[in-house]
Every structure is written in structure tokens, then in C-alpha cells.
């Protein structure tokens, strides 16, 4: 284990109760957080009740952190060893959801997605009479409305005037609901705010809790003296947390004269549209307290060096145009690492040779289904495999209508965005708001989209239908 001078200064910081470490992927944030937890254990757990909590935002990030923690523990424990070091381990590593569950009342009844949609649809029907000209008051925009209501509640905006004047452009960074503009001081904002109030009222009457109310309940319960408080808290990855999440974390912090909190933050990894940190120039984590902030810029080569064997995933990439294929593996803990296998074994692509391609939820290889515009994940591919990779995206395939083209249910298809296609191209198309993947056929009889499975019928385009080309399939990703 070897830290640079600035990394070591952060790990051993003795002056600041609140630290914020910013930086892109693989700049050492998690390694520093792991080292600091061991430093605090050996130097600032003085009382027998002193505990350290390390919070991760998901099971995947928890596994990644545990791997880093295990790999550096012996060296760090020796380096930071003191006479004050406690005999028993005082460090807990957990996900945020698991921590919150400890602070929830036993009789909490969480509303599920089906019930949430039902309540919202009922509220929408009531509001249509008052706002007949508001276009988002229909079932098509229910995901947008849910996101916006959760964001308002998570930020604690209980006053319409505040919501009317707050900037709300950051959500477009995730390319969600890009066709919906929420102008300040607009009827649309007023309508959405009233929808939120009606939704909350119906939840309360049914004595149910959604995810936001769950966090509020955990915050309220955390004030009970019988529940555990932590002397030191480390949050590895705050970028997708809401304001209420941060409030909860601060509520379980023990206020001793040597208590500390460290947050790590990566703006490139924001994937939650209700995140408190979308489009935020100033990250405010605690009130009336100055936070010491560090920004890491250099890649930290030692992060994630110890990788379990079962973290390796095998894939095949098929280039449709050139009819070639590549077998490769990637590391589930560092998905940007691509290593060729087969005839080109042990060739590894570096950072400058790969491109991050967004993955969207689903497209039908069967009957057309509604398009879901939400980015679900990302996949790194070598740049020379995919020409013009910056204009490409990946769609998951649902259905079996393209099996004769070796595109199966569960495969991922790389789509190049374009406004033109040639006869016999495999294309992703939007037909009257629904998406499908088919082979394009153009002849004297007109345009049709052909399946590659005799169990399905061609989709013939009529003059009444609105058809938009989403893109051309250029490659297929198969998990082996």
C-alpha cells in the first residue's frame, strides 16, 4: 500500500470534522476512505462506545469497497498502529438501505410501485379538471411525474414559491424526460406541486409510506437515545444520494469533540434523477459547518488490485457489418477493463482505446413495446470495434423475433444513431411511440420491417403510421 502525499494527508487528517473527496473513477477515493477508517480506528476510537460506519450506496459498490478494504487492511493497520487501538473491531461496512432499515419502526407499510401508480393516476384524473391544458397530466408521463414528486419531497421543498423558483435543469444531464420543460413560475410547476400534495394526502389516509417517507421515518426514529450513533462516518459515493439521505446520515452521527465524517463524490457517476447533487456547483452537506474539500485528478493505479476470480465476466461481440466476432472478458469491479481472449489472448485495452456506451432499458425483438428513455447502465467497448462510438448506444433485447439473425432474448445490440438506412439493414424503429428491432425491407410494394423468425409476421408501414428511425444495429453483445 503506497499513498501519495495528498492522499496520505486526507487519510490522516486530524483538523477537520468534515471532509469531501472529489474525483473521477479510479482516482483513489475508495482506497483513501478505507485507509482513513483504519486510521480512525487506531487513533480516534477512544471510548468503548465509539463506532465507525462505512456506507456504500449499493451492493455492487459494497463488494468493491470490501475488496479494497481487505487488500489494504494489514498494511494500513500496521502503519496506523498506536497504543490507543481498540482490541475489537469497531468498523461496520454496510449499504445505505441496510443502515436505514435499522432505524425504521416495525409497523412501517411501504407502498409498492403498482399502488404508487394507482394513487398517482387517481390524483391525475382529479387534477385534469382544474388543469385541462397541462400535457403531462396523462399516463404517458407517469414516470416523469413520479421522479419530479420524489425530487421535490427529497429536497424538502414544502413551499410552492420555493419550488417555482428553483433551478430544475440538472435532471436533463441523465437524458430523462428531455421533452418536458419545467419553466419557473409556470402553471405546470404549480400543477405538479398540487399533484404532490394530493398524492401525500392519499398516502397518509392509507397510512402508507413511499421511499421518501421511509427516509423521513428513519430520521425521526434516529433521534431516540436507545438507537446507535456513530463517532465516525465514511460515505463512499454520495453522488446519487438525495438531500434526505444526507440528512439521515448526519442524524446518526455521534456529536463528540473528535467525531468526523468523510464523503467521496464522483459527478461522472450520477445516475439518480432525484440526486441532490445534479447540476450543483456548491455541494452543501452540513449546515453552518465548513467542509475541507479535496479534488483528486491523477489515476490511482493501486485501486482494485485484488479481484476475486468470480468477478470476471465473459462476452462475445459480433460486428454485424464486417461479420467478425471477438471474445473478451471484463472485470465486474472495473468494467472499463477489457481483455481479449481466444486467438488474441491477453490483449488488454487501455483508457485511450475504449469508449463508454450508454445502455437503455429494452427494445422488442417481438411485438413493439413502449420506449423507456432511461439510461440503465453503461458498457465499455474498444473504440475501433464501433465506428463513431460517441453516436452509439446499447439496447437490451426482449423477445425472439430476430433469432435467425443470431439476436436472442437478453442480448444487447449496439445501435448507431442515424437518420438513414439501407435495404436489408437491421434497424431500431419507433412506430407510433413503440419501439422494435427488425430488418428493413424496401421494394416496389413499399416499406416493411421483417422479423428473422417465421413465427412472426412482417410489420408493413401504412401512411397513417408515424415511423421514426432510431438507428442501425452495428453489433451484438452476448454474455457467455
Amino acid at each position: 500500500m503506497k499513498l501519495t502525499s495528498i492522499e496520505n494527508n486526507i487519510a490522516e487528517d486530524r483538523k477537520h470534522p468534515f471532509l469531501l473527496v472529489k474525483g473521477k473513477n479510479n482516482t483513489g477515493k475508495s482506497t483513501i476512505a478505507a485507509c482513513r477508517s483504519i486510521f480512525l480506528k487506531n487513533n480516534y476510537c477512544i471510548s468503548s462506545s465509539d463506532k465507525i460506519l462505512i456506507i456504500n450506496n449499493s451492493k455492487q459498490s459494497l463488494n468493491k469497497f470490501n475488496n479494497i478494504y481487505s487488500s489494504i487492511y494489514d498494511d494500513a493497520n500496521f502503519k496506523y498502529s498506536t497504543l490507543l487501538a481498540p482490541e475489537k473491531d469497531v468498523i461496520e461496512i454496510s449499504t445505505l438501505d441496510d443502515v436505514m432499515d435499522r432505524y425504521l419502526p416495525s409497523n412501517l407499510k411501504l407502498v409498492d410501485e403498482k399502488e404508487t401508480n394507482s394513487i398517482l393516476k387517481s390524483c391525475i384524473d382529479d387534477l385534469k379538471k382544474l388543469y385541462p391544458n397541462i400535457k403531462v397530466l396523462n399516463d404517458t408521463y407517469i414516470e416523469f411525474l413520479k421522479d419530479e414528486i420524489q425530487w421535490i419531497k427529497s429536497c424538502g421543498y414544502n413551499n410552492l414559491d420555493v419550488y417555482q423558483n428553483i433551478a430544475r435543469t440538472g435532471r436533463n444531464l441523465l437524458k430523462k424526460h428531455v421533452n418536458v420543460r419545467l419553466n419557473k413560475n409556470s402553471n405546470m410547476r404549480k400543477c405538479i406541486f398540487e399533484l404532490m400534495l394530493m398524492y401525500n394526502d392519499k398516502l397518509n389516509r392509507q397510512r402508507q409510506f413511499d421511499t421518501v417517507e421511509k427516509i423521513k421515518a428513519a430520521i425521526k426514529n434516529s433521534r431516540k437515545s436507545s438507537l446507535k450513533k456513530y463517532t465516525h462516518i465514511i460515505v463512499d459515493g454520495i453522488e446519487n444520494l438525495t438531500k434526505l439521505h444526507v440528512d439521515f446520515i448526519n442524524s446518526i452521527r455521534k456529536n463528540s469533540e473528535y467525531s468526523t465524517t468523510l464523503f467521496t463524490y464522483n459527478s461522472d457517476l450520477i445516475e439518480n434523477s432525484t440526486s441532490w447533487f445534479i447540476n450543483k456547483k456548491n455541494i452543501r452537506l452540513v449546515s453552518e459547518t465548513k467542509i475541507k474539500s479535496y479534488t483528486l485528478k491523477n489515476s490511482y493505479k493501486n485501486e482494485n488490485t485484488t479481484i476475486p476470480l468470480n468477478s470476471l465476466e465473459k462476452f462475445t461481440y459480433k460486428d454485424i457489418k464486417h461479420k467478425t466476432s471477438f471474445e473478451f472478458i471484463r472485470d465486474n469491479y472495473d468494467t472499463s477493463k477489457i481483455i481479449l481472449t481466444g486467438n488474441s489472448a491477453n490483449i488488454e485495452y487501455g483508457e485511450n482505446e475504449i469508449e463508454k456506451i450508454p445502455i437503455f432499458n429494452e427494445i422488442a425483438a417481438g411485438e413493439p413495446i413502449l420506449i423507456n428513455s432511461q439510461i440503465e447502465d453503461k458498457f465499455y467497448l474498444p473504440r475501433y470495434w464501433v465506428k463513431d462510438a460517441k453516436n452509439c448506444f446499447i439496447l437490451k433485447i426482449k423477445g425472439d423475433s430476430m433469432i435467425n439473425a443470431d439476436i436472442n432474448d437478453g442480448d444487447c445490440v449496439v445501435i448507431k444513431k442515424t437518420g438513414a438506412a439501407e435495404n436489408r439493414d437491421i434497424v431500431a424503429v419507433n412506430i407510433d411511440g413503440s419501439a422494435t428491432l427488425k430488418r428493413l425491407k424496401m421494394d416496389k410494394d413499399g416499406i416493411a420491417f421483417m422479423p428473422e423468425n417465421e413465427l412472426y409476421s412482417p410489420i408493413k408501414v401504412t401512411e397513417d403510421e408515424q415511423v421514426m428511425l432510431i438507428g442501425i444495429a452495428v453489433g451484438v453483445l452476448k454474455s457467455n
Side-chain angles (χ1 to χ4, degrees):
M1 182 197 74
K2 185 177 180 180
L3 301 181
T4 65
S5 58
I6 187 170
E7 291 162 352
N8 198 61
N9 287 342
I10 300 169
E12 298 185 33
D13 188 294
R14 300 170 185 264
K15 298 178 181 178
H16 305 98
F18 291 94
L19 298 171
L20 172 64
V21 183
K22 298 182 287 185
K24 294 184 177 180
N25 239 0
N26 298 323
T27 49
K29 299 184 299 300
S30 296
T31 301
I32 292 169
C35 288
R36 180 159 180 79
S37 70
I38 299 165
F39 168 77
L40 292 171
K41 172 182 79 74
N42 290 348
N43 292 270
Y44 287 94
C45 284
I46 300 168
S47 164
S48 59
S49 64
D50 289 336
K51 302 290 181 186
I52 299 171
L53 175 64
I54 302 173
I55 297 174
N56 293 270
N57 201 26
S58 66
K59 292 289 186 185
Q60 183 178 0
S61 59
L62 175 70
N63 292 336
K64 175 183 173 182
F65 187 89
N66 274 328
N67 182 60
I68 294 170
Y69 181 84
S70 299
S71 68
I72 60 97
Y73 182 84
D74 289 339
D75 286 345
N77 199 45
F78 177 80
K79 178 179 180 179
Y80 302 130
S81 180
T82 68
L83 295 175
L84 296 173
E87 293 183 4
K88 61 180 181 179
D89 196 4
V90 297
I91 298 175
E92 295 179 28
I93 305 175
S94 184
T95 64
L96 181 58
D97 282 339
D98 286 344
V99 174
M100 280 195 296
D101 285 345
R102 303 173 201 166
Y103 294 84
L104 291 174
S106 57
N107 61 347
L108 190 82
K109 184 182 179 184
L110 283 174
V111 63
D112 60 27
E113 186 175 2
K114 185 178 179 181
E115 290 173 305
T116 299
N117 289 348
S118 177
I119 294 171
L120 270 179
K121 287 176 182 179
S122 172
C123 295
I124 288 169
D125 289 339
D126 292 340
L127 271 181
K128 280 180 181 178
K129 303 166 188 175
L130 298 174
Y131 297 93
N133 298 321
I134 299 297
K135 69 173 184 176
V136 296
L137 289 180
N138 66 68
D139 294 353
T140 304
Y141 291 93
I142 197 158
E143 293 301 320
F144 161 75
L145 292 170
K146 277 197 295 189
D147 269 1
E148 192 64 12
I149 287 171
Q150 295 299 304
W151 184 79
I152 297 169
K153 293 174 63 172
S154 297
C155 295
Y157 296 141
N158 299 319
N159 182 286
L160 175 59
D161 289 338
V162 175
Y163 174 57
Q164 283 280 31
N165 290 282
I166 202 76
R168 192 59 182 117
T169 56
R171 61 191 173 86
N172 290 339
L173 294 176
L174 303 183
K175 307 301 181 187
K176 289 183 68 177
H177 320 304
V178 291
N179 294 324
V180 180
R181 292 185 62 85
L182 282 173
N183 296 324
K184 292 183 179 181
N185 295 305
S186 62
N187 272 342
M188 187 178 289
R189 287 208 189 197
K190 182 181 177 183
C191 172
I192 292 173
F193 195 83
E194 289 186 26
L195 180 65
M196 178 198 71
L197 296 177
M198 292 175 67
Y199 166 76
N200 285 343
D201 184 58
K202 291 195 176 187
L203 272 184
N204 290 334
R205 288 182 185 182
Q206 297 175 17
R207 297 185 177 179
Q208 291 183 309
F209 291 76
D210 62 8
T211 53
V212 175
E213 299 303 324
K214 170 186 169 181
I215 304 170
K216 290 181 179 178
I219 293 172
K220 183 179 179 180
N221 233 27
S222 69
R223 299 191 181 106
K224 294 181 180 179
S225 58
S226 59
L227 293 175
K228 185 185 289 187
K229 302 279 185 174
Y230 294 88
T231 311
H232 308 287
I233 298 177
I234 293 172
V235 187
D236 191 29
I238 61 165
E239 55 273 356
N240 287 301
L241 303 190
T242 67
K243 182 180 182 297
L244 276 181
H245 284 136
V246 177
D247 290 344
F248 167 73
I249 291 165
N250 287 328
S251 77
I252 61 174
R253 181 176 181 265
K254 181 180 176 182
N255 290 319
S256 72
E257 61 181 13
Y258 52 87
S259 293
T260 65
T261 305
L262 178 142
F263 302 93
T264 71
Y265 169 80
N266 185 347
S267 62
D268 289 345
L269 296 181
I270 294 181
E271 297 168 349
N272 177 11
S273 61
T274 61
S275 168
W276 178 239
F277 306 101
I278 287 182
N279 212 23
K280 291 279 181 180
K281 292 182 180 179
N282 299 313
I283 300 174
R284 192 162 185 80
L285 296 165
V286 288
S287 59
E288 300 177 1
T289 305
K290 188 174 181 181
I291 298 178
K292 176 62 177 177
S293 179
Y294 296 89
T295 300
L296 304 177
K297 296 182 179 179
N298 297 324
S299 177
Y300 186 62
K301 301 300 182 183
N302 292 332
E303 187 143 299
N304 302 337
T305 52
T306 306
I307 303 296
L309 293 176
N310 61 3
S311 73
L312 297 178
E313 298 176 296
K314 296 181 180 179
F315 293 89
T316 298
Y317 177 75
K318 295 197 167 189
D319 185 322
I320 293 175
K321 183 177 180 180
H322 300 100
K323 297 181 180 179
T324 57
S325 63
F326 304 91
E327 292 181 357
F328 67 96
I329 58 174
R330 74 169 185 177
D331 183 352
N332 198 31
Y333 291 93
D334 182 4
T335 55
S336 64
K337 186 179 290 184
I338 300 293
I339 303 172
L340 281 181
T341 56
N343 295 332
S344 304
N346 299 324
I347 295 178
E348 183 175 337
Y349 291 99
E351 278 181 41
N352 321 344
E353 301 172 293
I354 59 174
E355 195 72 47
K356 179 172 68 174
I357 302 178
I359 300 176
F360 290 89
N361 192 12
E362 284 179 342
I363 191 169
E367 297 302 320
I369 58 176
L370 288 176
I371 297 171
N372 186 337
S373 62
Q374 181 175 358
I375 294 176
E376 187 178 88
D377 205 345
K378 55 187 176 296
F379 205 106
Y380 292 89
L381 287 175
R383 194 171 286 129
Y384 90 89
W385 290 4
V386 185
K387 189 177 179 181
D388 198 16
K390 290 187 181 297
N391 285 319
C392 290
F393 57 93
I394 292 172
L395 288 169
K396 287 186 176 181
I397 295 300
K398 184 176 182 179
D400 59 357
S401 73
M402 296 299 289
I403 57 174
N404 293 337
D406 198 20
I407 299 175
N408 300 293
D409 186 62
D411 287 348
C412 290
V413 176
V414 180
I415 304 291
K416 180 182 177 182
K417 288 182 280 188
T418 180
E422 296 179 2
N423 192 34
R424 303 295 298 164
D425 280 343
I426 296 175
V427 296
V429 289
N430 177 352
I431 304 173
D432 284 338
S434 295
T436 191
L437 187 80
K438 295 289 182 290
R439 192 178 292 281
L440 176 63
K441 179 183 178 183
M442 297 184 290
D443 58 23
K444 61 181 180 179
D445 296 324
I447 297 174
F449 298 106
M450 309 296 294
E452 290 280 356
N453 183 338
E454 56 278 1
L455 298 178
Y456 292 83
S457 301
I459 300 174
K460 295 184 178 180
V461 178
T462 65
E463 293 182 0
D464 297 331
E465 288 176 314
Q466 293 186 347
V467 179
M468 183 184 74
L469 179 65
I470 299 173
I472 299 173
V474 295
V476 183
L477 269 171
K478 293 177 174 289
S479 178
N480 299 333

